[in-house]
Amino acid sequence: MEAPSRTVSGQPPPLVGYDVFGSDRALAEAVDRHLPAELLDGAREELRALGRATGSEQVREWGEQANAFPPRLRTHDRYGRRIDEVDFHPAWHRLLGKAVAAGLTDAWDRPGGHVRRAAGFLVATQAEAGVGCPVSMTHAAVPALRAEPEVAAVWEPLAVSRVYERELRPVAAKAGALLGMGLTEKQGGSDLRAITTSARPLAVEGEYVLTGHKWFCSAPMSDAFLVLAQAPGGLTCFLVPRVLDDGSRNAFALQRLKDKLGNRSNASAEVEFDGTTWARRVGEEGRGLRTVMGMVAATRLDCVLGSAALMRQAVAQAVHHASYRSAFGGLLVDKPLMRNVLADLAVESEAATVLGMRLAAAYDSGTQRDRALLRIAVPAAKYWVTKRCVPVVAEALECLGGNGYVEESGLPRLLRESPLNSVWEGAGNIQALDVLRALRTEPAALDAYLREVGEARGADPRLDRAIRGVLTELADLDGVEARARRLAERMALVLQGALLVRWAPPEVADAFCAGRLGGDSGSAFGTLPTGLDLRAVVERARPVE
């Protein structure tokens, strides 16, 4: 007979064995909304399979293992030969293999490909965010590769392949490949024009050798990397393979792995090119920034989606806990103040999901208006959604009380991960300034934005007032750089509000407009005004079908 002191009561069951996609109503509805009818059945089947795998106890365990046993750098083999390899726990390879097999690197030429991939990315990230880095860069490399058709002909089929091959081999011997990126240098940071890595042309057209370093090289176990270097004609994009065609290793010295706050399952490295590092030019000399900007825009959208995924998982854990945990005579979820907190978090999560999926749909549509919308909405969304991730996860952790502060809950790992996307691919100031750049140089971008939010005009007076407020801000651009963050925030909030008013249930749109646009709530979560249907908002966010 078990001692009474060992009896466990009042604790919620683990949140495992559920469909991460099917139980996310906001995400499932976005897929239904943005995909053509003829693609829906196949997409739902794929995403539900991925959702069930992601929510399984096995995959959750892999995520824990990949973080508990982070990657290790091996610079030399036992005989002293330089190998520059990174060893990962088997759980990492299993997670990455599932992501590749789910098509998360394949979107560009599939009908509805970006919507399907974005939904899958949002789902898979909830098991472990670290694999999102190589998946995102491999996906995003495709538009850059296409600047050099001969290079794209070799590497693009491998990048979009659903085959994951971890071994480093010549490209001709691979059925699938991962691509990384190396842009940042010590002296420049986000200022890519300060890059000093040099590229010397060889006798064969398009071939160069590189000398220099990269301060952050993401996913250094990848098969090839897109890097920027100074060629005779100016800053240029290059593809640097890890293994040359003859099977020998390219000169690609991993100096050390970064000891990061979070994202610990994934490796980030410092890399040296020693003057013999072979590279293939991608695009014209002097047009390196233009070549890589398509890649950067795609990875910035993945930052939005990745943050939306972290928010969703944190909110799912908080709502699940409160739905089972009893205190002070009843379930936490039924306590008015806790319900306010949970509803506030759920609204933030849904707003991030709806915005990210709308931008993915803009990639699929390819219309002139949607291309222009992406130019201004991606940096605004990247700025705001990634900024909101940290407080959302922190508040969700608090909903679990002391249990949330314990590693076994999974919330500390989410919290350590939550600042990453606001830093990666340009921190907040870079995004806000990019919004200003779009406003000043691309009038079609602002027009597309105003037309998008205008679709919801007249549906909610708080949204209408917020739209007028943005127009007032845009009418006076004197000294605007100092308030660029405020402008980016307001533009993102208004766009989220417009999308929710059009597509979300009334109780969700009402809560968002009241809490974000109406000026009738505090700065902390859980301060939504009275009179809202918060019970329905929380019930919608419960991670059950």
Side-chain angles (χ1 to χ4, degrees):
M1 182 176 181
E2 187 173 52
S5 62
R6 297 178 182 175
T7 301
V8 177
S9 62
Q11 292 285 352
L15 181 54
V16 294
Y18 77 109
D19 179 355
V20 173
F21 171 73
S23 67
D24 187 343
R25 295 165 178 82
L27 180 58
E29 289 168 10
V31 170
D32 288 353
R33 179 166 58 246
H34 293 304
L35 279 184
E38 64 272 16
L39 299 178
L40 273 178
D41 287 346
R44 288 191 192 117
E45 183 177 350
E46 280 188 2
L47 290 168
R48 289 180 75 90
L50 180 61
R52 288 190 295 270
T54 301
S56 69
E57 187 171 3
Q58 177 67 84
V59 171
R60 292 307 174 97
E61 184 180 346
W62 290 345
E64 293 170 5
Q65 291 172 340
N67 279 270
F69 303 97
R72 296 185 304 112
L73 174 61
R74 287 197 302 134
T75 56
H76 298 78
D77 68 12
R78 60 184 291 194
Y79 303 106
R81 289 185 287 260
R82 188 101 196 192
I83 56 173
D84 294 292
E85 292 189 0
V86 182
D87 285 340
F88 292 84
H89 189 273
W92 162 268
H93 294 293
R94 293 179 183 123
L95 289 166
L96 188 49
K98 276 194 170 292
V100 172
L104 302 192
T105 62
D106 179 15
W108 296 98
D109 290 327
R110 285 199 298 162
H114 285 89
V115 167
R116 294 170 72 162
R117 180 202 169 267
F121 189 85
L122 208 152
V123 167
T125 299
Q126 293 184 55
E128 168 47 39
V131 299
C133 177
V135 164
S136 177
M137 289 187 299
T138 302
H139 153 72
V142 170
L145 293 172
R146 289 178 176 178
E148 198 68 45
E150 289 183 7
V151 175
V154 174
W155 285 95
E156 184 176 336
L158 301 179
V160 303
S161 170
R162 295 196 177 201
V163 176
Y164 172 55
E165 291 190 353
R166 56 187 282 190
E167 296 82 6
L168 291 175
R169 292 197 297 267
V171 62
K174 301 274 292 190
L178 296 176
L179 287 93
M181 178 168 58
L183 306 182
T184 310
E185 297 185 1
K186 291 191 284 275
Q187 73 287 345
S190 295
D191 183 4
L192 297 181
R193 297 186 186 278
I195 282 173
T196 61
T197 295
S198 63
R200 177 172 59 85
L202 298 176
V204 178
E205 172 64 22
E207 296 186 7
Y208 295 70
V209 288
L210 305 185
T211 304
H213 73 281
K214 294 297 173 183
W215 187 233
F216 278 96
C217 179
S218 300
M221 72 291 173
S222 299
D223 296 282
F225 297 82
L226 291 174
V227 305
L228 290 177
Q230 298 286 355
L235 195 59
T236 304
C237 180
F238 296 91
L239 182 135
V240 179
R242 288 298 313 274
V243 180
L244 301 176
D245 289 344
D246 63 4
S248 63
R249 296 292 178 94
N250 203 1
F252 192 89
L254 301 180
Q255 302 293 68
R256 63 170 175 164
L257 300 185
K258 299 290 192 180
D259 187 8
K260 298 172 293 186
L261 167 68
N263 200 247
R264 300 187 71 83
S265 69
N266 176 48
S268 301
E270 296 172 24
V271 179
E272 182 182 33
F273 308 133
D274 70 356
T276 66
T277 304
W278 185 90
R280 179 68 165 84
R281 191 186 67 234
V282 179
E284 299 176 25
E285 278 197 9
R287 297 177 67 84
L289 285 179
R290 179 179 292 273
T291 300
V292 301
M293 280 315 296
M295 183 179 191
V296 170
T299 51
R300 284 178 176 175
L301 176 54
D302 276 358
C303 289
V304 175
L305 296 168
S307 291
L310 295 173
M311 290 188 208
R312 170 57 191 167
Q313 182 56 211
V315 172
Q317 293 286 349
V319 173
H320 175 76
H321 176 88
S323 298
Y324 286 91
R325 179 71 165 172
S326 293
F328 307 108
L331 291 173
L332 285 178
V333 74
D334 293 328
K335 304 297 181 182
L337 187 53
M338 178 59 82
R339 187 185 303 143
N340 196 313
V341 172
L342 294 172
D344 215 353
L345 293 172
V347 165
E348 193 73 38
S349 171
E350 181 154 350
T353 295
V354 169
L355 177 54
M357 293 302 292
R358 170 63 184 97
L359 297 180
Y363 267 102
D364 279 333
S365 82
T367 64
Q368 186 174 357
R369 171 181 164 181
D370 273 353
R371 287 197 300 271
L373 176 65
L374 288 168
R375 175 61 189 90
I376 199 167
V378 167
K382 202 276 190 184
Y383 169 78
W384 182 241
V385 172
T386 63
K387 279 277 183 285
R388 295 297 280 170
C389 188
V390 175
V392 166
V393 176
E395 191 69 56
L397 182 153
E398 188 176 330
C399 290
L400 275 66
N403 287 334
Y405 206 69
V406 175
E407 285 291 338
E408 289 174 316
S409 72
L411 272 298
R413 175 153 58 100
L414 292 181
L415 186 59
R416 287 192 297 272
E417 191 75 29
S418 61
L420 172 63
N421 288 316
S422 65
V423 176
W424 194 40
E425 299 300 3
N429 285 357
I430 297 297
Q431 305 308 313
L433 293 173
D434 200 26
V435 171
L436 294 188
R437 190 176 300 110
L439 288 172
R440 288 167 169 157
T441 63
E442 302 184 43
L446 176 59
D447 180 67
Y449 171 85
L450 294 176
R451 290 176 64 186
E452 186 72 23
V453 300
E455 298 279 350
R457 269 191 168 176
D460 188 291
R462 296 160 297 193
L463 175 61
D464 290 345
R465 286 194 295 271
I467 293 173
R468 290 195 295 271
V470 167
L471 290 173
T472 300
E473 294 240 13
L474 292 172
D476 179 17
L477 294 182
D478 290 339
V480 70
E481 183 172 326
R483 51 188 174 89
R485 283 188 171 219
R486 171 182 168 80
L487 181 59
E489 173 184 330
R490 295 306 297 174
M491 291 183 72
L493 280 169
V494 166
L495 181 53
Q496 285 181 319
L499 296 177
L500 291 176
V501 164
R502 290 169 62 191
W503 293 326
E507 61 270 15
V508 174
D510 190 21
F512 183 90
C513 290
R516 278 64 172 168
L517 305 178
D520 192 20
S521 65
S523 57
F525 287 107
T527 59
L528 291 172
T530 58
L532 302 171
D533 188 0
L534 302 186
R535 185 183 297 276
V537 175
V538 175
E539 181 60 29
R540 177 174 169 82
R542 284 188 65 196
V544 294
E545 296 183 58

